[in-house]
Amino acid sequence: MKLDKIPQLKHIDSNNFFLLAGPCAIEGEEMALRIAEKVVKITDKLEIPYVFKGSFKKANRSRIDSFTGIGDEKALKILRKVSETFQIPTITDIHEISDAKLAAEYVDVLQIPAFLVRQTDLVVAAAETGKVVNLKKGQFMSPESMKHAATKVTDCNNEQVMITDRGTMFGYQDMIVDFRGIPTMREFAPTVLDVTHSLQQPNQSSGVTGGRPDMIETIARAGVVNNVDGLFIETHFDPANAKSDGANMLDLKHLEKLLSNLVAIRKTVNKL
């Protein structure tokens, strides 16, 4: 996959990592536009290629009473408005075969959730839309096994595929990032490090996933040093009251400082 295959992507010649960032879920139009506006200002300043991220629905929640979305088409129309307002590409995850065609009408990149990345029919449906496909590495999968997931996309005559590492299960209630996997997966496709999801603490007895947002910069720095192509960061202006994944999100007010530090590290790495 070449970055120039993603419509509207700016700063592709900056020799920087690219960024997938936004809220976990689309909660409403005002919040999506507010987050996008802030991130666009930061990424333009730092010349970081940027794709706005937001789930149009959340189908993999721990409890039946957890927030799942505001309505599929309503959320997808908000993603389209974000794209048109700020002239940036967008990404959303899909969970069912029928989601692929629907979401492809509104966004530029289709994301396969980690729990579903071995579902061949879902991966093929995403690939056949012709959109860029982002494959989240299953928490239960080795980096080497992601070659087969990527091949499912390319075998559909779609070369626009990337892989995202979102950590590996470490016991029942923790995640760990094995940075040895980055160069391995980069042999198959451009590779993204999902910084915030890799800091989740799932399977809590409360049914609400915990997290370690205090470790976001530590994990992100290690990814940049190890030549990851892109970073995935969920961010919100009020993580404590976010309707999904607030426990591991980055507070939006900290994003510019974090990205500034990471850009400085990438520039140093590029000189080596």
Side-chain angles (χ1 to χ4, degrees), residues 156-175:
C156 294
N157 297 314
N158 186 343
E159 299 294 324
Q160 301 179 88
V161 59
M162 54 185 172
I163 298 170
T164 294
D165 190 345
R166 51 97 72 239
T168 300
M169 287 303 299
F170 188 67
Y172 287 120
Q173 295 179 326
D174 208 356
M175 310 288 292

Side-chain angles (χ1 to χ4, degrees), residues 213-266:
D214 57 302
M215 297 295 292
I216 287 174
E217 183 152 2
T218 298
I219 296 296
R221 282 174 177 249
V224 171
V225 166
N226 285 287
N227 293 308
V228 75
D229 297 290
L231 294 174
F232 182 113
I233 298 174
E234 286 191 338
T235 185
H236 195 288
F237 48 80
D238 187 10
N241 290 302
K243 295 184 181 295
S244 178
D245 280 1
N248 53 268
M249 275 189 189
L250 178 71
D251 193 311
L252 189 58
K253 67 184 179 183
H254 300 310
L255 183 64
E256 182 168 3
K257 183 177 186 299
L258 171 65
L259 291 178
S260 296
N261 291 342
L262 297 176
V263 167
I265 293 171
R266 175 51 59 92

